[in-house]
């Protein structure tokens, strides 16, 4: 089974992936600050998803 390779994607999908990768950290920081001041269940859940997404991009799983 072949490993996922992001450069095989069409150019428009690759561009969208790069944009999401670059926007993840600022959104993660904003969500962390929001969760610290107004902790709700939705905020904690969203923060967990964003942390997982950031780690996946950092380790190049996506």
């Amino acid at each position: 089974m072949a490993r996922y390779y992001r450069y095989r994607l069409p150019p428009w999908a690759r561009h969208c992936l790069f944009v999401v990768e670059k926007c993840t950290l600022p959104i993660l920081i904003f969500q962390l600050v929001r969760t610290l001041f107004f902790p709700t269940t939705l905020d904690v859940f969203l923060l967990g998803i964003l942390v997982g997404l950031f780690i996946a991009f950092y380790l190049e799983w996506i």
Side-chain angles (χ1 to χ4, degrees), residues 11-57:
W12 62 270
R14 192 172 356 145
H15 180 71
C16 290
L17 189 66
F18 289 145
V19 168
V20 169
E21 183 177 5
K22 296 300 177 190
C23 292
T24 303
L25 184 62
I27 294 172
L28 176 67
I29 292 170
F30 173 77
Q31 188 62 34
L32 177 66
V33 170
R34 178 182 158 94
T35 304
L36 289 175
F37 288 121
F38 306 110
T40 63
T41 305
L42 179 65
D43 288 329
V44 173
F45 181 70
L46 193 59
L47 182 64
I49 290 173
L50 287 171
V51 167
L53 186 64
F54 180 75
I55 290 172
F57 278 126

